[in-house]
Amino acid sequence: MPQRRVVTGRSQEPRQRFAEELRRLRADKGDSLRQLGERLGWDWSLFGKMEKGETLGGPEVVQALDQYFGTPGMLLALWELARADHTQFREQYRQYMALEAEAVSLWHFAVSVLPGLLQTPGYAREVLAAGGLKGEELERQVEARMGRRELLEGEDAPPFRTILSEAVLRTPLRNGSAWREQLEYLAEMAEQPNVTVHVLPFSAGPYGLDSTDVWFLRLPDGRTVAYTENAHRGELIEGYGPVERLQRAYDAVRDMAMSPAESRKFILRMLEEVPCDPSP
């Protein structure tokens, strides 16, 4: 599988960057537009329009292109940035999304919401709807978020560690069936060799990250960057000193968290507490 490529260079305009990457990947593959259409089962004219920037296509075609070109999650990340350009995503979040696609390892802390990489469609839909999305845009964003989960799949998947505040698991969805599905999926992912899940119990007391979701990304050049987010704003942090301070706070939280084995047992206990669906 080809190495992950840096997706932050060249054009900084997301739609143009997406179109550039499509053209480059097809040229490297040696396919004509017609050949690409025949191999993926879409009308070749769609790919021509995407390469000209006339349309972005849908998440399903972008996921197929990621698979065909051997770029798991990269094109989908660019597609998300292009769709959100100047509207939904702030500039720093767009930068974070591009860096996530090239990260060689990721680690994360959640205050109240599961990370997108571990969400089910039902969970993502309810969370995104709570943020004001609806209709077709809501469904597009749910599909895009599901596509991001491919980052953790396959032999080339980067290691991912998350620490979940107990509050995350004590905040169920309104839809009981969707909540059960989410907990089952979380328990399943906690067994994957590249995924480590910790639970930080309420009994741990106060801690240094008690109001901030934070992501750390280790990049191919050895740098680590951080992205912090709350309900109102997000910040991409690249300076060595601030990132180091956040890492020390993260390490302290990890020391207070349950072990991966204990955490999975906790998730399964939470699953047992979900009421069974009433009989029809």
Side-chain angles (χ1 to χ4, degrees):
M1 183 175 291
Q3 286 188 322
R4 295 171 181 272
R5 297 183 64 257
V6 176
V7 298
T8 52
R10 296 187 294 177
S11 170
Q12 296 301 306
E13 201 281 318
R15 290 183 70 98
Q16 183 180 346
R17 180 71 182 88
F18 179 64
E20 284 178 358
E21 198 63 28
L22 291 176
R23 292 194 299 270
R24 187 199 67 79
L25 288 168
R26 182 174 61 81
D28 288 352
K29 196 84 168 178
D31 289 345
S32 68
L33 287 170
R34 289 186 183 276
Q35 288 172 327
L36 185 61
E38 290 171 358
R39 287 165 184 169
L40 293 186
W42 270 276
D43 190 310
W44 66 270
S45 64
L46 170 63
F47 298 115
K49 291 177 181 178
M50 292 171 71
E51 290 186 8
K52 292 177 182 177
E54 295 175 1
T55 183
L56 292 173
E60 64 285 346
V61 69
V62 179
Q63 290 175 49
L65 287 165
D66 258 332
Q67 182 177 0
Y68 180 70
F69 290 129
T71 54
M74 187 190 78
L75 288 176
L76 190 66
L78 288 174
W79 178 86
E80 285 186 312
L81 300 182
R83 283 203 58 82
D85 189 32
H86 304 306
T87 54
Q88 184 181 348
F89 296 114
R90 296 177 294 276
E91 176 61 29
Q92 289 193 332
Y93 187 64
R94 295 202 298 268
Q95 293 175 19
Y96 164 78
M97 288 287 292
L99 293 171
E100 181 186 88
E102 60 170 298
V104 296
S105 66
L106 309 90
W107 56 109
H108 164 265
F109 174 71
V111 175
S112 59
V113 178
L114 286 166
L117 293 177
L118 296 179
Q119 292 180 11
T120 59
Y123 188 95
R125 184 172 292 104
E126 194 161 314
V127 169
L128 290 168
L133 294 182
K134 57 185 178 181
E136 292 184 4
E137 181 61 21
L138 172 61
E139 295 307 314
R140 280 195 294 267
Q141 291 298 329
V142 169
E143 287 188 52
R145 183 163 294 187
M146 293 306 97
R148 285 177 60 198
R149 300 193 310 185
E150 294 181 3
L151 185 69
L152 300 182
E153 300 174 358
E155 295 182 359
D156 193 43
F160 172 57
R161 180 187 302 273
T162 184
I163 305 172
L164 308 175
S165 166
E166 185 174 339
V168 175
L169 301 174
R170 297 287 184 187
T171 308
L173 300 176
R174 296 184 180 89
N175 184 317
S177 296
W179 181 234
R180 173 178 290 279
E181 181 183 0
Q182 175 62 77
L183 290 176
E184 290 173 342
Y185 182 73
L186 181 60
E188 176 186 332
M189 290 300 295
E191 291 192 299
Q192 299 303 307
N194 63 311
V195 177
T196 304
V197 177
H198 298 273
V199 175
L200 179 69
F202 288 142
S203 60
Y207 54 92
L209 298 174
D210 59 357
S211 62
T212 305
D213 273 35
V214 60
W215 287 85
F216 297 94
L217 308 177
R218 186 165 310 273
L219 304 177
D221 62 7
R223 290 185 302 133
T224 297
V225 300
Y227 183 79
T228 61
E229 189 172 36
N230 58 34
H232 305 289
R233 66 187 296 264
E235 181 180 6
L236 183 66
I237 301 171
E238 300 183 78
Y240 174 81
V243 171
E244 179 66 20
R245 287 191 290 274
L246 277 172
Q247 284 187 282
R248 286 199 293 268
Y250 183 89
D251 289 344
V253 170
R254 186 174 62 182
D255 288 343
M256 294 186 288
M258 300 178 190
S259 70
E262 293 170 332
S263 297
R264 188 171 185 278
K265 290 178 181 178
F266 185 90
I267 294 166
L268 293 175
R269 288 199 300 272
M270 293 298 302
L271 183 57
E272 291 174 357
E273 295 177 13
V274 178
C276 294
D277 292 336
S279 300

